Amino acid sequence: MSNQKKPVRTGARRPASAALRAQALRAKERRTLRRRAAAVACCIVPLAGIGVLGKLLADRSADDPSVVRAASGPVKVPAGAAPKDPTTLTYGSARAKNTLGVYEDPRCPMCGILERSVGKEARRLADQGIVKVDYHFAVFIDRAAGGTGSRFAVNALGAAADRDMTCFQRLHEELFAHQPEETDDGFGNAGHLLDLAARVHGLRSPSFDAAVRDLRYLPWAESVGKEFQRSGPDGTPQMELNGKRLDVFNDRGDPLTPSELARLVRERGA
């Protein structure tokens, strides 16, 4: 009988570190993005194509009397709208030398991926006075996939912007952090929007709640969507720095990162 000792195994599995888990989650999100890039047509095809798709898919809100009535009411412009363009919401100092234009639809999943990647960095740059951020909203997914979620979300964002732009930013972050699947019209539920608004300190109030439920800013949201179709880019998401388009996704489908956004502002900004 041999007295040779058995080798000791040193490769036993250990629990993954937080960094490794975060890396795995990012890799999973990138794989999801690549799958969606082929499937989510209404986020990446020209808006002219959306018009065709919209004719094939019914808009479930078209015959809702309360929505039709609210949409046809007077346009109330939120206090946070840009002075020269009432369809744009501006976060940051008007004295900032650089303007970061953000074009998005609240229901667009690729917009959600981009926002979760660089949204906080954009706000940090604005808080430091390096940029001001102009938000331009599209609502075309409502008409392409059916429902009211894009318009109702923009209505809620308008109500938050009328209170103050910090509340707008926090609600904007919550909406994209809890974004439903594109075909799920979750934002079309005012109660759900109010639940998300409750996560924003100081936002909920009788006036804000009534604006969300009564669709006070829906006529404004409709005008925002029309302006996007008239003069906005061919699809969402999109970012521009001082009017020049940024590449928000690379060839592998990875979104722009916070450090890349900061570098682009340093290199290309005023």
Side-chain angles (χ1 to χ4, degrees), residues 124-136:
R124 184 188 72 81
L125 293 169
D127 290 340
Q128 292 182 350
I130 299 171
V131 304
K132 64 178 181 292
V133 186
D134 282 349
Y135 289 92
H136 308 268

Side-chain angles (χ1 to χ4, degrees), residues 69-80:
R69 187 164 53 251
S72 61
V75 175
K76 179 176 174 56
V77 178

Side-chain angles (χ1 to χ4, degrees), residues 12-13 19 59 72 80 104 135 176 190 199 225:
R13 293 182 178 178
D59 183 345
S72 61
E104 58 193 9
Y135 289 92
F176 281 105
R199 297 170 177 265

Side-chain angles (χ1 to χ4, degrees), residues 9 155 169 193 249:
R9 295 180 61 192
N155 172 75
Q169 276 290 359
L193 291 171
F249 290 96

Side-chain angles (χ1 to χ4, degrees), residues 186-226:
F187 287 160
N189 184 311
H192 178 55
L193 291 171
L194 290 173
D195 287 342
L196 293 176
R199 297 170 177 265
V200 178
H201 178 72
L203 177 56
R204 292 287 300 270
S205 69
S207 176
F208 173 82
D209 290 5
V212 173
R213 290 196 180 98
D214 301 341
L215 304 174
R216 185 178 303 163
Y217 294 91
L218 186 59
W220 172 78
E222 295 282 4
S223 69
V224 166
K226 290 177 181 177

Side-chain angles (χ1 to χ4, degrees), residues 108-125:
C108 166
M110 295 175 75
C111 295
I113 290 172
L114 183 63
E115 161 63 23
R116 290 188 290 273
S117 180
V118 298
K120 289 183 179 179
E121 179 64 16
R123 289 188 284 280
R124 184 188 72 81
L125 293 169

Side-chain angles (χ1 to χ4, degrees), residues 8-231:
V8 177
R9 295 180 61 192
T10 59
R13 293 182 178 178
R14 297 178 181 178
S17 67
L20 288 175
R21 289 196 298 271
Q23 184 179 7
L25 286 173
R26 287 194 296 270
K28 181 179 179 181
E29 190 164 63
R30 286 195 296 270
R31 290 194 298 271
T32 300
L33 172 62
R34 285 191 286 270
R35 289 196 301 268
R36 284 176 172 173
V40 184
C42 52
C43 289
I44 58 177
V45 301
L47 291 181
I50 295 301
V52 175
L53 183 59
K55 293 178 182 178
L56 300 176
L57 297 173
D59 183 345
R60 293 194 298 270
S61 70
D63 57 354
D64 186 327
S66 63
V67 174
V68 173
R69 187 164 53 251
S72 61
V75 175
K76 179 176 174 56
V77 178
K84 296 182 179 180
D85 180 5
T87 65
T88 300
L89 295 179
T90 300
Y91 179 79
S93 172
R95 295 188 297 272
K97 294 182 179 180
N98 299 291
T99 300
L100 185 66
V102 178
Y103 299 82
E104 58 193 9
D105 187 311
R107 290 178 67 179
C108 166
M110 295 175 75
C111 295
I113 290 172
L114 183 63
E115 161 63 23
R116 290 188 290 273
S117 180
V118 298
K120 289 183 179 179
E121 179 64 16
R123 289 188 284 280
R124 184 188 72 81
L125 293 169
D127 290 340
Q128 292 182 350
I130 299 171
V131 304
K132 64 178 181 292
V133 186
D134 282 349
Y135 289 92
H136 308 268
F137 292 103
V139 297
F140 60 83
I141 293 181
D142 280 357
R143 292 172 177 82
T148 58
S150 293
R151 284 168 287 172
F152 283 18
V154 174
N155 172 75
L157 289 168
D162 197 59
R163 188 171 181 86
D164 66 63
M165 288 306 291
T166 297
C167 284
F168 159 80
Q169 276 290 359
R170 297 294 180 261
L171 181 59
H172 182 269
E173 183 176 337
E174 290 295 335
L175 291 182
F176 281 105
H178 299 89
Q179 187 185 47
E181 291 291 327
E182 184 189 23
T183 54
D184 179 353
D185 195 34
F187 287 160
N189 184 311
H192 178 55
L193 291 171
L194 290 173
D195 287 342
L196 293 176
R199 297 170 177 265
V200 178
H201 178 72
L203 177 56
R204 292 287 300 270
S205 69
S207 176
F208 173 82
D209 290 5
V212 173
R213 290 196 180 98
D214 301 341
L215 304 174
R216 185 178 303 163
Y217 294 91
L218 186 59
W220 172 78
E222 295 282 4
S223 69
V224 166
K226 290 177 181 177
E227 177 60 23
F228 188 102
Q229 287 185 300
R230 187 187 70 82
S231 62

